[in-house]
Amino acid sequence: MTEARPVLLLVDDEAPVRDVLGEIGGREGFEIIACANGADGLDVLRRRHVDLMFLDLQMPDLDGLDVLRATREMAVRTRIALITGFGSIDTAVEAVKLGAEDYLLKPIDLPRVRELLRNTKRQFEDRGTVFSSDAALAERLEFCGMVGRSPQMLELFDLIRRLAPHARTVLISGETGTGKELVARALHQLGPRRDKRFVTVNCSTVVETLFESELFGHVRGAFTGATDHKQGLFEAADGGTLFLDEIGELSFTVQAKLLRVLETGEVQRVGSVDGRTVDVRIIAATNRQLERAARDGTFRSDLYYRLNVVELYVPPLRDRTEDIPYLTAAFLRQYAREFSKLISGLTPDAERRLADADWPGNVRHLRNTLERSALLCEGHLLTERDIAHALGGRGNGASGGDESAVAPALPPAKEKVVEALGATGGNKAIAARNLGISRRALYRLLEKYDLNETGSSTPQVP
């Protein structure tokens, strides 16, 4: 893959202007997208991140100020330089208020154009440097497939190193998606059984009536359908490690038999009277409060205390938000390679969205969101809209809520605004939602169309 380049969007109905600016931008190392009207320009901004836009003020369909308003309504962090052949102080002031960074008069000041391009390219390179640094640091921080530099994770990594050579029974607790299986695998990889098998069983997915057979095996004829002898998972893991994920879902019957195996080191196949000795390290994991379950009688207390020789707690992502940039960089770099995309970082709004989210599914939730976002991303930077779409359009605790997730390309016409306010009896919150815009946008439209808050024209003072 070639390297990602900053994106220059040219929105001007005059082809010679687009050609000249496009040639200069190309020489400065930009990817060029040229549009002959404002609607096409907004369509580009709706789909991907743009670093710099040169925007003509006078165009036949939408003028530059309308495009500028719609751009800011979409919460797009694009640098914008407005170009006009008919300059005025009022227009310049309005453009600056709407977020334009520069106001260029025709004939265009080409040295100023080059300065804007170079400043934008430096910002692009700075973002890329930060992302590359985070990704490189993530590689250095990586510990047996886990990434973290928060105090909680560093303490966890230290405990794993100290326990791996010695502990034969370990209980791992933590919420769903925190990485409990990675902790179990780290204990196995760093321990003396690393060359033996690591066998995993999810206790919540095995049918209860077959669980004894899965764990301990069975002999031919032990039950209907047992047409042959079968080795259980304990025997399969002999000499190695057996990871019992979601152990809190075991039935009481299986809990009693598991306790016996832990106490005696002997398994008995279903239907057999003979026992077999096994040497297995047991690592169990749960997202339940097993101590409380033992007190409530929903989990055997003797099994809980037998498992809880050593307990490792994996913190939720919300308690270690300082790790999010490094996890993000690691996952994004992985998915950029997998999907052959030139993703070189995130926009500041996207970073904020990730940092402020609740992540009820923890690291797994973050990873899946970034995978979907990378698939959706059409540019070189992951945007807040990419993340919002990957989250299903929900605010999910992120800043911006539902107002900036997906914004309209064009402002609603005056008649639509009047109709929406009339249908809701002047309720601006509902009217804005029905129009698909934010309340702030609705207030701006009321001012633009000279309407009062009920949708009627503002009376003129004689």
Side-chain angles (χ1 to χ4, degrees):
M1 291 190 298
T2 58
E3 291 186 358
R5 294 182 294 161
V7 176
L8 172 63
L9 175 61
L10 306 173
V11 183
D12 198 304
D13 60 334
E14 296 182 32
V17 175
R18 297 196 303 270
D19 292 342
V20 169
L21 294 176
E23 183 180 350
I24 296 173
R27 287 202 299 265
E28 294 293 338
F30 280 73
E31 175 188 348
I32 308 300
I33 303 175
C35 299
N37 58 72
D40 289 347
L42 287 171
D43 185 57
V44 172
L45 290 167
R46 200 164 51 243
R47 291 185 290 105
R48 61 178 300 181
H49 173 74
V50 170
D51 296 281
L52 176 62
M53 173 167 62
F54 285 122
L55 174 63
D56 188 22
L57 176 63
Q58 300 289 338
M59 291 184 291
D61 60 339
L62 289 170
D63 68 28
L65 291 180
D66 283 337
V67 174
L68 189 51
R69 290 188 188 96
T71 301
R72 291 313 179 211
E73 187 59 36
M74 287 190 285
V76 174
R77 294 296 185 93
T78 295
R79 301 185 72 190
I80 301 174
L82 203 65
I83 299 174
T84 180
F86 309 94
S88 73
I89 296 297
D90 290 343
T91 305
V93 170
E94 178 69 7
V96 171
K97 283 182 178 179
L98 291 170
E101 295 206 13
D102 216 325
Y103 189 80
L104 304 176
L105 292 174
K106 297 179 182 178
I108 300 172
D109 182 353
L110 296 184
R112 178 58 184 153
V113 166
R114 292 188 182 92
E115 182 182 354
L116 284 168
L117 289 167
R118 289 167 186 171
N119 287 341
T120 302
K121 189 176 181 182
R122 276 194 295 271
Q123 289 184 353
F124 168 82
E125 291 170 346
D126 288 345
R127 277 197 303 266
T129 299
V130 171
F131 178 78
S132 297
S133 297
D134 285 348
L137 184 56
E139 288 185 10
R140 293 198 297 273
L141 294 172
E142 191 268 338
F143 176 80
C144 297
M146 295 172 279
V147 173
R149 68 179 306 180
S150 59
Q152 301 96 316
M153 293 304 290
L154 293 178
E155 182 181 359
L156 176 63
F157 297 162
D158 182 57
L159 283 171
I160 292 171
R161 290 189 191 95
R162 289 157 53 193
L163 294 173
H166 313 294
R168 290 181 56 86
T169 305
V170 179
L171 177 63
I172 305 170
S173 61
E175 296 178 6
T176 297
T178 51
K180 297 187 291 294
E181 184 171 345
L182 289 175
V183 173
R185 290 185 180 276
L187 288 166
H188 177 75
Q189 292 166 13
L190 299 177
R193 300 168 184 257
R194 66 180 65 87
D195 297 326
K196 302 296 184 180
R197 293 190 66 184
F198 179 87
V199 179
T200 299
V201 57
N202 189 319
C203 302
S204 65
T205 61
V206 181
V207 179
E208 184 176 340
T209 54
L210 299 177
F211 212 104
E212 287 186 57
S213 171
E214 287 292 320
L215 282 181
F216 311 121
H218 63 252
V219 297
R220 183 172 57 245
F223 50 83
T224 303
T227 58
D228 208 344
H229 297 302
K230 178 187 174 182
Q231 182 186 62
L233 294 175
F234 268 94
E235 292 180 68
D238 193 16
T241 300
L242 177 62
F243 176 51
L244 300 170
D245 197 11
E246 304 303 346
I247 196 168
E249 306 305 316
L250 286 179
S251 69
F252 263 77
T253 301
V254 180
Q255 287 180 35
K257 296 194 174 185
L258 175 60
L259 177 63
R260 181 178 179 279
V261 175
L262 293 176
E263 296 285 0
T264 66
E266 186 178 88
V267 297
Q268 188 172 341
R269 292 185 178 181
V270 177
S272 173
V273 295
D274 299 320
R276 299 167 184 251
T277 301
V278 292
D279 176 22
V280 178
R281 167 187 253 182
I282 300 296
I283 301 177
T286 181
N287 62 5
R288 295 178 58 190
Q289 300 261 348
L290 278 195
E291 184 176 10
R292 180 185 300 171
R295 289 198 306 267
D296 295 343
T298 55
F299 192 84
R300 289 185 65 109
S301 59
D302 48 3
L303 177 58
Y304 167 69
Y305 292 117
R306 184 65 183 82
L307 289 170
N308 194 28
V309 176
V310 175
E311 182 174 359
L312 294 178
Y313 174 69
V314 188
L317 190 56
R318 64 180 174 275
D319 289 346
R320 55 183 188 104
T321 54
E322 59 263 59
D323 291 335
I324 290 177
Y326 309 108
L327 290 164
T328 297
F331 291 141
L332 262 190
R333 177 165 282 190
Q334 172 191 341
Y335 293 130
R337 285 196 299 263
E338 287 184 13
F339 305 147
S340 299
K341 292 201 171 187
L342 296 174
I343 301 174
S344 60
L346 303 88
T347 65
D349 287 339
E351 291 175 347
R352 195 173 302 112
R353 182 94 176 191
L354 293 174
D356 292 345
D358 293 333
W359 302 120
N362 293 294
V363 177
R364 183 188 295 127
H365 191 179
L366 173 66
R367 184 191 65 207
N368 292 345
T369 297
L370 290 170
E371 182 178 9
R372 290 193 294 271
S373 298
L375 280 168
L376 291 166
C377 182
E378 295 189 32
H380 59 281
L381 293 180
L382 206 67
T383 68
E384 184 185 18
R385 277 196 307 280
D386 295 327
I387 294 168
H389 290 156
L391 288 169
R394 297 183 298 274
N396 193 35
S399 64
D402 59 0
E403 288 192 345
S404 60
V406 182
L410 301 177
K414 179 177 179 179
E415 294 75 14
K416 293 290 186 183
V417 174
V418 173
E419 181 182 339
L421 286 168
T424 61
N427 188 312
K428 292 180 289 299
I430 298 175
R433 186 162 62 247
N434 292 342
L435 288 167
I437 60 177
S438 69
R439 277 173 290 177
R440 293 193 302 273
L442 179 57
Y443 281 114
R444 285 196 290 270
L445 289 175
L446 291 176
E447 182 179 353
K448 176 182 177 181
Y449 295 143
D450 197 24
L451 299 172
N452 61 30
E453 295 186 356
T454 64
S456 304
S457 295
T458 303
Q460 300 296 314
V461 178

